[in-house]
């Protein structure tokens, strides 16, 4: 063992020390003053001494964070403290922040921390220093035993790495860990325990040979769905080393498309417990084998009747990350840290060289047939699955989905962490749906619009005819605009889902409003959004969106409640229209399409008329309906109501009569029937043709060939209006036209 590394009990002791955020020491009583003046504080008074403590420096705490991540990943030998130096050559040594090793691999990690968030800095000197000492350090490590795979890692916190530094790291084959990567690895370790190390090794040593791996296994080769597949049994230990799971995380953004969620610890523990008690899973793990050349399969000369399948020996690639786990990660990882990982075998169905979109599609098909796949999970997966599609409409859909993912996943977005993805459940922090973004994109022209045949119908104002470039521009603009909202409406922003801004309706509404503002700017400034940089567009948009910010900031609780009550399919459009009218009232030349009607709705122009005329229409229709029923079926006409209408009416009648005083007149069935009930009765069986068609068909429709449901639609529309609270709901231009028509027809 290299001097300064610890394992087993000493490793656990080092872990306890690393987890402490303070350093402590004992000093004699009375000797504390010099310490207290340099940042120390009294922790505890002892009999003869005082124990003092001091918070560890932030860069040391970051080194400890990285060290603890490696510990949780299951590395068995690590440096014990922050003063570890590796000696090499003639009297040369190098201080190393974190060294983590297992039986086959060694990680050398350099850590850089700054308290300044998103600081841009150059690390040319540090990176080149690592590269310059690389071969000597590897030589020293391998001089202590069997040859190991060594990976150098550069880890930072709060820094933004320049493109030149990233290119420099790539050229020297040094891995880069940012906060997203460390967060992912910790989450992985939290749920997978030591098995998470295999995932990291697959990332670091992709396609590198696994020393000592025995890779020849008996297998059956066959055809399924037009593809060649192999079926075999293998020890879980082998598959764990070769396997890799494409988890959906910020750390894996470069691996898109990804399709698996991180295993839940509770479920994994239950699988492990089941396995350790001798339990087993007879169903197959489904995988994809990645190989550059042809997969070697040695047929066995044996007698069998199948003309499609054949028996032989399969040569698996003995490489890290050569097998992608498509389905069954719980079953596989359940064997980690278990003796059964070497004593048992698990059944596997393996395809070869499936593209990532094909893997995503297969994953979805497997899971859709096993259980219902939620709309949210389908949306999350389709963002990747459709990205490379040849169908232009699929590409456009994927762009909207990917945009929603980035707004929720990337820390530079003010909406970071607020969206629910995949199978995750909504919570107080993450509750926005992907549809709040995708629907807004579909209803605007930020991106190109295509016909069903894939022909260009309308040019998008941000569309660069390249999904990556379009996404980058659109994400940066929307992020910047939502930053404006966050800065100008801090109280409303902090309310989250309890406010009127950070709701699905609000987010969708504002994305639509931003678009209308851009159209206004394009016309007024005689520019094209796609031809200028996004900060300039934000600069021009900000004074206009400030009108809405001021409006919302000055709303009273009652008005906010009315906005929050907007729901249903038209809620996002209603929100958008309301805010557009607010802008128009301050800027009369801001005139989005349909603004005249929007103003009418915003001002509730027709509501007084509605309050007056709807009761009159109801009374008139009630008389017409009851007269028609009585003349057709006699005094007991209510016995001829459809069974479902009759049953509901009886329940309503009973409920209302139960609460009456003894001297109040009881309700009849006729008293509780609604306009919607009338329409159901009118079209029931032959009622329309025999009794209702003449009096309940609008004069303008009498000579038209229409189904009865269409002819009675006016009554359903009136019923919907009758159920609205006209102190809050605004009657639309079209609804007012209906009321005017019905008044002329029925009341004059």
């Amino acid at each position: 063992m290299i001097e300064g590394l610890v394992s087993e009990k000493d490793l656990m002791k080092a872990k306890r020390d690393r987890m402490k955020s303070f350093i402590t020491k004992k000093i004699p009583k009375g000797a504390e003053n010099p310490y207290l003046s340099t940042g120390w504080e009294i922790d505890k008074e002892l009999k003869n001494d005082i124990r003092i403590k001091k918070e560890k420096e932030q860069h040391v705490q970051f080194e400890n964070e990285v060290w603890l991540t490696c510990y949780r990943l299951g590395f068995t030998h690590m440096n014990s403290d922050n003063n570890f130096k590796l000696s090499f050559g003639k009297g040369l040594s190098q201080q190393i922040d974190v060294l983590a090793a297992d039986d086959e691999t060694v990680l050398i990690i350099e850590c850089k921390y700054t308290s300044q968030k998103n600081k841009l800095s150059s690390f040319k000197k540090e990176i080149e220093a690592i590269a310059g000492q690389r071969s000597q350090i590897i030589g020293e490590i391998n001089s202590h035993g069997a040859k190991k795979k060594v990976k150098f890692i550069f880890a930072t916190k709060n820094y933004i790495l320049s493109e030149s530094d990233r290119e420099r790291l790539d050229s020297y084959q040094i891995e880069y860990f940012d906060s997203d990567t460390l967060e992912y690895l910790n989450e992985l370790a939290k749920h997978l325990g030591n098995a998470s190390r295999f995932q990291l090794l697959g990332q670091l040593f992709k396609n590198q040979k696994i020393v000592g791996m025995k890779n020849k296994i008996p297998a059956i080769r066959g055809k399924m769905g037009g593809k060649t597949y192999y079926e075999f049994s293998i020890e879980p230990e082998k598959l764990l080393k070769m396997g890799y799971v494409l988890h959906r995380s910020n750390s894996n953004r470069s691996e898109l498309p990804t399709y698996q969620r991180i295993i839940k610890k509770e479920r994994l523990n239950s699988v492990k417990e089941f396995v350790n008690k001798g339990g087993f899973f007879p169903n197959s793990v489904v995988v994809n084998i990645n190989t550059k050349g042809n997969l070697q399969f040695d047929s066995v000369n044996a007698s069998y009747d199948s003309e499609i399948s054949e028996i032989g020996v399969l040569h698996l690639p003995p490489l890290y990350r050569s097998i992608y786990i498509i389905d069954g990660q719980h079953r596989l990882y359940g064997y980690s840290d278990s003796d059964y990982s070497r004593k048992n075998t698990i059944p596997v169905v393996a395809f070869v060289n499936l593209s990532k979109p094909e893997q995503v599609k297969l994953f979805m098909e497997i899971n859709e047939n096993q259980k219902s796949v939620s709309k949210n999970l389908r949306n999350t997966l389709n963002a990747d699955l459709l990205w490379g599609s040849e169908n232009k409409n699929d590409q456009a859909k994927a762009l909207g989905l990917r945009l929603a993912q980035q707004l929720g996943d990337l820390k530079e977005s003010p909406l970071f962490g607020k969206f629910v993805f995949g199978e995750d459940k909504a919570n107080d922090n993450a509750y926005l749906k992907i549809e709040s973004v995708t629907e807004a994109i579909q209803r605007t022209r930020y991106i190109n619009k295509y016909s069903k045949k894939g022909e260009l119908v309308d040019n998008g104002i941000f569309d660069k005819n390249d999904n990556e470039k379009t996404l980058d521009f659109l994400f940066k603009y929307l992020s910047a605009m939502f930053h404006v909202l966050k800065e100008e409406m801090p109280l409303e922003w902090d309310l989250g889902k309890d406010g009127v801004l950070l709701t699905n309706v609000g987010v969708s509404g504002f994305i639509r409003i931003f678009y209308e503002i851009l159209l206004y700017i394009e016309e007024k400034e005689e520019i094209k959004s796609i031809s200028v940089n996004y900060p300039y567009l934000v600069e021009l948009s900000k004074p206009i969106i400030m009108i809405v910010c001021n409006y919302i900031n000055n709303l009273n609780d009652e008005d906010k409640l009315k906005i929050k009550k907007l729901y249903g399919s038209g809620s996002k459009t209603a929100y958008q229209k309301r805010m557009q009218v607010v802008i128009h009232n301050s800027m009369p030349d801001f005139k989005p399409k349909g603004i005249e009607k929007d103003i009418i709705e915003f001002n509730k122009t027709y509501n007084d008329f509605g309050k007056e005329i709807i009761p009159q229409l109801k009374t008139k229709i009630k008389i017409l309906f009851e007269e028609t029923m009585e003349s057709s079926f006699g005094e007991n006409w209510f016995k001829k109501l459809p069974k479902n209408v009759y049953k509901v009416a009886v329940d309503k009648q009973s409920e209302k009569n139960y609460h009456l005083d003894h001297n109040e007149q009881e309700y009849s069935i006729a008293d509780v029937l609604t306009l919607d009930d009338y329409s159901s009765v009118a079209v029931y069986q032959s009622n329309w043709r025999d009794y209702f068609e003449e009096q309940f068909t609008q004069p303008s429709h009498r000579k038209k060939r229409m189904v009865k449901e269409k002819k009675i639609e006016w009554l359903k529309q009136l019923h919907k209006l009758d159920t609205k609270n006209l102190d809050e709901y605004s009657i639309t231009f079209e609804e007012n036209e209906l009321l005017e028509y019905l008044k002329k027809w029925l009341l004059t």
Side-chain angles (χ1 to χ4, degrees), residues 77 147 158 199 230 307 341 385 451 455 460 470 491 558 569 586 607 667 682 738 743:
H77 295 74
K147 188 176 181 180
N158 294 336
Q199 189 74 2
Y230 298 88
E307 296 180 1
S341 68
L385 182 62
S451 68
E455 298 168 342
T470 303
L491 296 178
E558 184 180 349
S569 58
S586 295
N607 280 33
Y667 289 89
L738 173 66
K743 176 186 176 183

Side-chain angles (χ1 to χ4, degrees), residues 55 99 118 153 197 229 241 291 298 361 386 549 587 615 623 628 664 688 731 735 737:
E55 188 174 21
L99 188 151
N118 298 324
I153 298 169
R197 188 170 79 263
Y229 76 96
K241 289 185 178 181
T291 178
D298 303 329
K361 186 177 180 181
L386 303 178
C549 294
M587 298 175 55
I623 293 169
T628 301
E664 290 183 288
W688 181 256
I731 294 175
E735 288 167 341
E737 282 189 322

Side-chain angles (χ1 to χ4, degrees), residues 54-121:
K54 185 178 184 179
E55 188 174 21
K56 293 176 183 176
E57 294 181 63
Q58 291 297 308
H59 74 90
V60 173
Q61 291 197 45
F62 176 54
E63 288 177 18
N64 290 345
E65 285 177 30
V66 176
W67 190 98
L68 287 165
T69 298
C70 294
Y71 175 86
R72 295 182 189 110
L73 289 166
F75 286 93
T76 54
H77 295 74
M78 299 183 68
N79 57 311
S80 61
D81 55 41
N82 302 92
N83 301 311
F84 173 72
K85 288 187 178 181
L86 184 68
S87 299
F88 56 88
K90 295 181 179 180
L92 298 175
S93 65
Q94 174 62 43
Q95 189 274 332
I96 292 176
D97 295 332
V98 179
L99 188 151
D102 61 15
D103 292 340
E104 299 171 5
T105 62
V106 176
L107 308 186
I108 307 288
I109 307 177
E110 176 79 7
C111 302
K112 294 295 179 184
Y113 169 86
T114 179
S115 58
Q116 181 182 332
K117 291 281 181 74
N118 298 324
K119 182 179 180 181
L120 184 62
S121 186

Side-chain angles (χ1 to χ4, degrees), residues 33-47:
N33 285 340
Y35 290 96
L36 298 179
S37 63
T38 57
W40 291 83
E41 56 185 278
I42 295 173
D43 183 36
K44 189 176 183 180
E45 292 195 14
L46 306 172
K47 185 176 181 180

Side-chain angles (χ1 to χ4, degrees), residues 13-29:
K13 180 180 180 299
K15 171 224 172 186
R16 290 192 293 269
D17 291 339
R18 296 268 187 171
M19 290 184 71
K20 297 173 183 175
S21 58
F22 289 86
I23 54 175
T24 60
K25 67 164 60 178
K26 286 183 185 178
I27 60 172
K29 284 186 177 179

Side-chain angles (χ1 to χ4, degrees), residues 174-406:
I174 299 171
E175 195 76 12
Y176 176 54
F177 282 6
D178 60 9
S179 296
D180 285 335
T181 305
L182 291 168
E183 184 179 321
Y184 165 67
L185 292 174
N186 275 302
E187 185 72 9
L188 205 61
K190 174 182 171 184
H191 294 292
L192 295 185
N194 290 348
S196 56
R197 188 170 79 263
F198 298 119
Q199 189 74 2
L200 173 61
L201 298 181
Q203 177 180 332
L204 299 178
F205 302 108
K206 181 180 180 182
N207 293 328
Q208 293 187 33
K209 190 171 183 180
I210 303 170
V211 178
M213 171 66 73
K214 295 181 179 180
N215 65 319
K216 298 177 185 178
I217 55 172
I220 298 172
R221 180 165 65 183
K223 288 280 187 181
M224 180 164 44
K227 297 184 181 298
T228 298
Y229 76 96
Y230 298 88
E231 191 162 7
F232 54 84
S233 290
I234 189 171
E235 298 92 326
E237 181 184 47
K238 290 183 179 179
L239 191 54
L240 281 166
K241 289 185 178 181
M242 291 183 283
Y244 192 77
V245 181
L246 283 169
H247 286 132
R248 298 191 304 274
S249 78
N250 286 340
S251 175
N252 283 336
R253 281 202 301 273
S254 62
E255 298 293 336
L256 291 172
T258 56
Y259 51 90
Q260 300 263 32
R261 67 177 302 178
I262 295 176
I263 298 171
K264 290 298 182 186
K265 185 177 183 179
E266 297 76 13
R267 186 174 175 189
L268 182 64
N269 286 341
S270 65
V271 173
K272 282 187 174 184
E273 183 180 356
F274 176 72
V275 167
N276 286 326
K277 288 181 178 179
F280 60 91
F281 300 95
N283 46 330
S284 298
V285 174
V286 181
V287 306
N288 175 63
I289 301 172
N290 275 5
T291 178
K292 292 182 179 178
N294 293 324
L295 198 62
Q296 185 175 342
F297 181 78
D298 303 329
S299 296
V300 173
N301 186 15
S303 176
Y304 47 83
D305 294 332
S306 175
E307 296 180 1
I308 301 174
S309 301
E310 54 184 321
I311 302 170
V313 176
L314 178 65
H315 296 243
L316 291 172
L319 309 173
Y320 287 106
R321 198 169 165 179
S322 55
I323 297 178
Y324 285 80
I325 313 301
I326 296 175
D327 186 66
Q329 60 168 327
H330 287 89
R331 278 165 273 154
L332 174 60
Y333 282 122
Y335 280 97
S336 62
D337 299 327
S338 167
D339 289 340
Y340 290 103
S341 68
R342 293 180 294 277
K343 295 177 182 178
N344 277 7
T345 60
I346 55 175
V348 176
V349 171
F351 295 89
V352 182
N353 290 336
L354 293 179
S355 67
K356 286 181 185 174
E358 286 178 311
Q359 292 178 50
V360 176
K361 186 177 180 181
L362 182 56
F363 170 82
M364 290 180 72
E365 288 172 349
I366 290 170
N367 284 278
E368 275 200 34
N369 289 322
Q370 288 182 352
K371 61 180 181 180
S372 175
V373 177
S374 68
K375 181 180 180 181
N376 207 44
L377 177 57
R378 288 198 305 273
N379 280 334
T380 304
L381 297 179
N382 274 329
D384 298 335
L385 182 62
L386 303 178
W387 187 256
S389 172
E390 294 181 2
N391 184 294
K392 290 292 186 180
N393 281 305
D394 284 347
Q395 287 183 25
K397 182 178 181 181
L399 199 155
L401 292 168
R402 186 72 65 81
L403 174 64
Q405 285 190 350
Q406 289 200 355

Side-chain angles (χ1 to χ4, degrees), residues 329-595:
Q329 60 168 327
H330 287 89
R331 278 165 273 154
L332 174 60
Y333 282 122
Y335 280 97
S336 62
D337 299 327
S338 167
D339 289 340
Y340 290 103
S341 68
R342 293 180 294 277
K343 295 177 182 178
N344 277 7
T345 60
I346 55 175
V348 176
V349 171
F351 295 89
V352 182
N353 290 336
L354 293 179
S355 67
K356 286 181 185 174
E358 286 178 311
Q359 292 178 50
V360 176
K361 186 177 180 181
L362 182 56
F363 170 82
M364 290 180 72
E365 288 172 349
I366 290 170
N367 284 278
E368 275 200 34
N369 289 322
Q370 288 182 352
K371 61 180 181 180
S372 175
V373 177
S374 68
K375 181 180 180 181
N376 207 44
L377 177 57
R378 288 198 305 273
N379 280 334
T380 304
L381 297 179
N382 274 329
D384 298 335
L385 182 62
L386 303 178
W387 187 256
S389 172
E390 294 181 2
N391 184 294
K392 290 292 186 180
N393 281 305
D394 284 347
Q395 287 183 25
K397 182 178 181 181
L399 199 155
L401 292 168
R402 186 72 65 81
L403 174 64
Q405 285 190 350
Q406 289 200 355
L407 287 171
D409 273 347
L410 300 189
K411 290 182 178 177
E412 53 264 42
S413 165
L415 297 173
F416 170 71
K418 297 189 182 300
F419 283 86
V420 181
F421 295 114
E423 297 168 290
D424 296 333
K425 302 295 183 183
N427 56 56
D428 288 341
N429 295 317
Y431 53 85
L432 294 175
K433 294 181 180 179
I434 298 174
E435 298 95 282
S436 62
V437 174
T438 56
E439 287 177 2
I441 297 299
Q442 289 169 359
R443 290 180 177 271
T444 53
R445 291 292 176 272
Y446 283 108
I447 63 177
N448 289 346
K449 179 74 173 178
Y450 297 94
S451 68
K452 290 182 179 180
K453 294 181 179 180
E455 298 168 342
L456 182 64
V457 174
D458 202 352
N459 286 301
I461 63 171
F462 278 1
D463 206 302
K464 296 177 179 287
N465 294 314
D466 179 298
N467 260 12
E468 291 286 357
K469 293 178 181 178
T470 303
L471 174 64
D472 181 64
F473 195 82
L474 186 50
F475 169 76
K476 287 176 178 175
Y477 172 76
L478 291 179
S479 290
M481 289 301 292
F482 276 107
H483 269 298
V484 172
L485 301 185
K486 183 178 181 179
E487 291 168 2
E488 300 300 332
M489 294 186 282
L491 296 178
E492 189 61 38
W493 190 276
D494 289 343
L495 284 173
K497 62 183 178 182
D498 296 321
V500 299
L501 169 57
L502 288 183
T503 63
N504 288 302
V505 171
V507 168
S508 177
F510 269 105
I511 291 175
R512 299 184 192 189
I513 295 163
F514 297 155
Y515 170 76
E516 294 294 344
I517 290 173
L518 287 170
L519 293 185
Y520 169 80
I521 289 171
E522 284 192 340
E523 183 177 355
K524 187 171 183 179
E525 301 292 330
E526 296 183 352
I527 61 172
K528 291 293 183 183
S529 298
I530 200 171
S531 303
V532 297
N533 58 49
Y534 81 89
Y536 182 59
L537 293 176
V538 174
E539 180 186 338
L540 294 176
S541 300
K542 185 174 179 179
I544 304 174
I545 205 63
M546 280 292 297
I547 297 170
V548 177
C549 294
N550 292 332
Y551 168 76
I552 291 178
N553 284 335
N554 290 305
L555 284 174
N556 59 39
D557 291 342
E558 184 180 349
D559 288 333
K560 285 185 179 181
L561 184 61
K562 290 177 182 178
I563 293 176
K564 281 192 67 64
K565 285 183 177 180
L566 292 172
Y567 62 91
S569 58
S571 57
K572 298 178 181 72
T573 302
Y575 190 101
Q576 171 195 1
K577 289 179 177 180
R578 178 183 290 257
M579 301 310 167
Q580 287 176 179
V581 171
V582 169
I583 297 173
H584 172 80
N585 288 343
S586 295
M587 298 175 55
D589 61 336
F590 178 77
K591 295 179 179 179
K593 186 178 179 180
I595 190 70

